[in-house]
Each structure stands twice: as C-alpha cells, then as structure tokens.
C-alpha cells in the first residue's frame, strides 16, 4: 500500500464523502464553468490538504467530527485550486500534474475568471454558513501567499535573498496554507484558541519542511517529476544555494552569481553549479534544516494522546521529507 493510502485509512469514509461535497461546492449555472470545474476535479492531486483538515479535527477531538469540518476542507481545496489555476497563468505554464492546464485549454482570460470563481465559492461557503473563524484562517493564508510570491519576485531580480528572507518567503508561499488546513481542522470541531494556534504552528513546520524537500529535488540524481537544475535556470534562490553563497570565497561567490544571472540556460554551467553546491555542504546543511522542522512538528504532536489519527499525521510528516516527488 502506498504511503498516501496508509495515511488516509482512518479517514477513508470522510474523504469519500468529501469528494462528493467538494464537487457540489463547485457547481454553477454556467455550463462552461461546469465543464472546466469537472475537468479540474477529474485531475485532482493527492488531496493532502483536506487530509490534514480531517486528521487534525479527529485527533484534537478524540475521533469527533462536525459538518463544519467538511466545509473547512472544501474551503481549503477551493482556495488551493484557485491559486493553482492563477499560478499557471502567472507562470505561463501549459501543464499541471501531467495534464494540460486550464489556461492551455481555455486561454488566460477564462483561467483567471475560473480562479476568481473558485475563490468566491470558497469565501461564500464560509459566509453562508457563518463559519467566520474558518474564513479568517483561510483569508490570512491567501494574504500571506500573495505577499510571499511578490517578495520572491522582488528579491529574485537582485539575487540578494538571505536565509531569513528565504524562510519568510517559503513560510508565506507554501507553509501558510498547510498551517491554515491544520488550524481549520482544529477550529472546525470547537478546539480552544491555544489548540488552534498549536495546530497552525504544526502545519507551518510541515509546510516549511515540504518546501525545503522540493528545493533538494533540484539537486537530486534520481528521476523525479521535474528536471534537476530547474530552479537555477529560473534564477530561484533556494536554501542549498543560499548556504553555499554565504560559505564560499569572494571569487567563488562572484562565479556563482554570474552563473545564475548570465549562464542559467547553459546546461553545462548549471551542472557545474549543482556540483559546486553539493561539494560545499549545501545539501547536508539543507537536509539538517529540513529535519529540524520535521522534529519541531513531531514535538507538537507529542502533547496529544495516542490515536490512529495521530499516527497518520506522523506518517504524513515522514512522507513529506522522504517522498520521491
């Protein structure tokens, strides 16, 4: 059995029911919209975010559940899907999870409007049911995701990202949505504010570890979903590179920056940069940082009683740092 299936076992019934509720939450009176949202649902990913919502809700309430939990998971997935549709437009990307993206099939104007529609559906789902506490958690995430993307764009122009700025970017870009999932899971079953805060922090730590793992893939020798060196080609300053730049001679630093700014499309030069980062401790340092965040997430779980939901969350943490894609 694959790791994702093992993680899903304690919430299998909830996930199956969620799929139906999620489809219903996307319905519209416009046939074109229904065709596009049907296309999106058919090509869904692993649905890790709703899994976080359900597992956290079950863990903090000792197996309890609420209709609000389904709505919280649907809001998260609607907002997440909206951001993916918009991201493909921003990145001019024609593929998503191995299939054509919405903008590739229906062009940018329609893709932007579909993203807006999904965003509004998510917000209205919370407002119509007066889930204002859940709405606040997801709204914070949307604000931070936008700030993170813009901060990265701003810093990429100058290549002056420090380690602190890097962690600020990935916390906002990636970790904040997983933090919202875990906070929403706890809040949906009536957990107190302290518990909601703890679970948001738990999600944030996992999200940071998840993004660091993604950064490591750029230096991997294994066959994965994206070609190695793609971050360097796109002039993205990731942790292995930031560490190496801060721990090499002035001459080496100048060569590295010159390589990224002016030779980032040269395959031979990109390979040389990858080799240099590997030989100068960039991978070991980054792996250590990733494991630090993994352990921080695990330490938060220790405060909760043993349960199958807690075990699944532990498996989820292991999966995040050990996955092959």
């Amino acid at each position: 059995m694959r790791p994702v299936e093992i993680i899903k076992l304690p919430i299998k019934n909830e996930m199956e029911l969620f799929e139906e509720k999620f489809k219903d939450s996307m319905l519209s009176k416009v046939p074109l919209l229904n065709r596009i949202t049907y296309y999106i649902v058919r090509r869904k990913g692993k649905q890790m975010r709703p899994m976080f919502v359900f597992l956290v809700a079950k863990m903090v309430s000792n197996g309890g559940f609420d209709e609000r939990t389904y709505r919280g998971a649907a809001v998260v997935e609607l907002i997440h899907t909206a951001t993916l549709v918009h991201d493909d437009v921003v990145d001019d990307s024609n593929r998503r999870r191995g299939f054509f993206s919405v903008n590739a099939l229906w062009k940018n104007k329609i893709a932007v409007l579909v993203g807006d529609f999904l965003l509004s559906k998510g917000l209205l789902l919370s407002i119509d049911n007066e889930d204002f506490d859940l709405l606040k958690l997801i709204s914070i995430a949307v604000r931070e995701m936008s700030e993170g993307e813009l901060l990265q764009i701003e810093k990429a122009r100058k290549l002056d990202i420090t380690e602190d700025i890097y962690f600020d970017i990935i916390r906002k870009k990636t970790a904040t949505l997983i933090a919202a999932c875990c906070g929403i899971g706890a809040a949906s079953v009536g957990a107190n504010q302290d518990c909601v805060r703890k679970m948001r922090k738990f999600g944030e730590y996992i999200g940071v570890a998840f993004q660091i793992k993604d950064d490591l893939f750029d230096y991997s020798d294994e066959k994965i979903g994206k070609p190695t060196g793609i971050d360097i080609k796109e002039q993205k300053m990731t942790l292995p590179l930031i560490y190496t730049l801060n721990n090499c001679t002035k001459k080496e630093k100048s060569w590295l920056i010159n390589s990224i700014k002016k030779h980032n499309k040269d395959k031979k030069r990109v390979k040389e940069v990858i080799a240099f980062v590997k030989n100068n401790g960039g991978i070991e340092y980054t792996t250590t940082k990733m494991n630090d965040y993994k352990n921080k997430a695990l330490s938060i779980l220790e405060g909760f009683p043993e349960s199958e939901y807690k075990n699944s969350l532990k498996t989820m943490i292991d999966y995040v740092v050990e996955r092959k894609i």
Side-chain angles (χ1 to χ4, degrees), residues 145-193:
M145 286 158 71
S146 306
E147 287 176 348
E149 286 285 358
L150 288 164
L151 181 59
Q152 186 174 52
I153 290 167
E154 181 188 19
K155 292 296 178 183
R157 288 175 182 158
K158 298 178 186 172
L159 298 184
D160 63 345
I161 294 180
T162 62
E163 195 171 308
D164 284 347
I165 291 170
Y166 163 83
F167 277 110
D168 193 29
I169 289 170
I170 67 168
R171 186 189 63 75
K172 287 179 170 174
K173 259 188 71 176
T174 306
T176 191
L177 189 57
I178 298 174
C181 294
C182 297
I184 284 169
S188 73
V189 289
N192 62 40
Q193 280 305 304

Side-chain angles (χ1 to χ4, degrees), residues 84 86-94 96 103 149 236:
L84 295 183
H86 282 163
D87 281 352
D88 288 338
V89 175
V90 171
D91 298 338
D92 200 21
S93 174
N94 291 324
R96 168 67 62 182
N103 53 300
E149 286 285 358
K236 282 183 186 169

Side-chain angles (χ1 to χ4, degrees), residues 9 36-37 53 61 63 70-71 89 97 118 150 165 190 198 200 203 216 224 246-247 260 269 271 297 300 313:
L9 274 176
I36 296 170
T37 54
V53 175
S61 63
Y70 284 114
R71 293 199 297 268
V89 175
R97 295 170 182 145
L118 295 171
L150 288 164
I165 291 170
K198 263 187 198 164
R200 278 192 76 214
L216 285 167
I224 56 165
N246 291 334
N247 291 275
I260 296 154
R269 190 71 165 259
K271 279 186 179 175
I300 288 177
L313 285 168

Side-chain angles (χ1 to χ4, degrees), residues 264-302:
N264 56 313
K265 301 287 189 280
D266 180 338
K267 285 184 181 176
K268 183 172 176 286
R269 190 71 165 259
V270 169
K271 279 186 179 175
E272 287 171 2
V273 170
I274 289 171
F276 187 81
V277 169
K278 284 181 174 178
N279 294 333
N280 284 270
I283 305 305
E284 289 88 343
Y285 178 80
T286 303
T287 304
T288 300
K289 280 286 184 185
M290 179 181 70
N291 286 324
D292 285 348
Y293 279 93
K294 170 191 168 179
N295 292 330
K296 283 179 183 177
L298 284 169
S299 70
I300 288 177
L301 286 186
E302 291 314 307

Side-chain angles (χ1 to χ4, degrees), residues 158-160 235 237 241 245 248 250-264 269 273:
K158 298 178 186 172
L159 298 184
D160 63 345
Q235 297 185 329
M237 296 290 281
L241 192 55
L245 279 167
C248 62
K250 201 172 178 181
K251 188 179 174 185
E252 288 167 337
K253 187 173 184 175
S254 176
W255 173 81
L256 272 173
I257 289 173
N258 185 47
S259 300
I260 296 154
K261 276 190 172 178
K262 297 179 181 173
H263 304 279
N264 56 313
R269 190 71 165 259
V273 170

Side-chain angles (χ1 to χ4, degrees), residues 23 26 33-43:
K23 279 182 209 164
M26 291 173 123
L33 258 174
N34 287 332
R35 276 204 304 279
I36 296 170
T37 54
Y38 177 74
Y39 177 81
I40 290 169
V41 169
R42 285 282 306 275
R43 283 145 191 84

Side-chain angles (χ1 to χ4, degrees), residues 193-219:
Q193 280 305 304
D194 184 51
C195 180
V196 173
R197 271 194 299 273
K198 263 187 198 164
M199 294 325 296
R200 278 192 76 214
K201 209 64 182 163
F202 168 76
E204 183 184 304
Y205 292 149
I206 295 176
V208 171
F210 182 93
Q211 186 57 54
I212 295 174
K213 179 67 173 181
D214 255 18
D215 292 352
L216 285 167
F217 282 142
D218 212 44
Y219 297 86

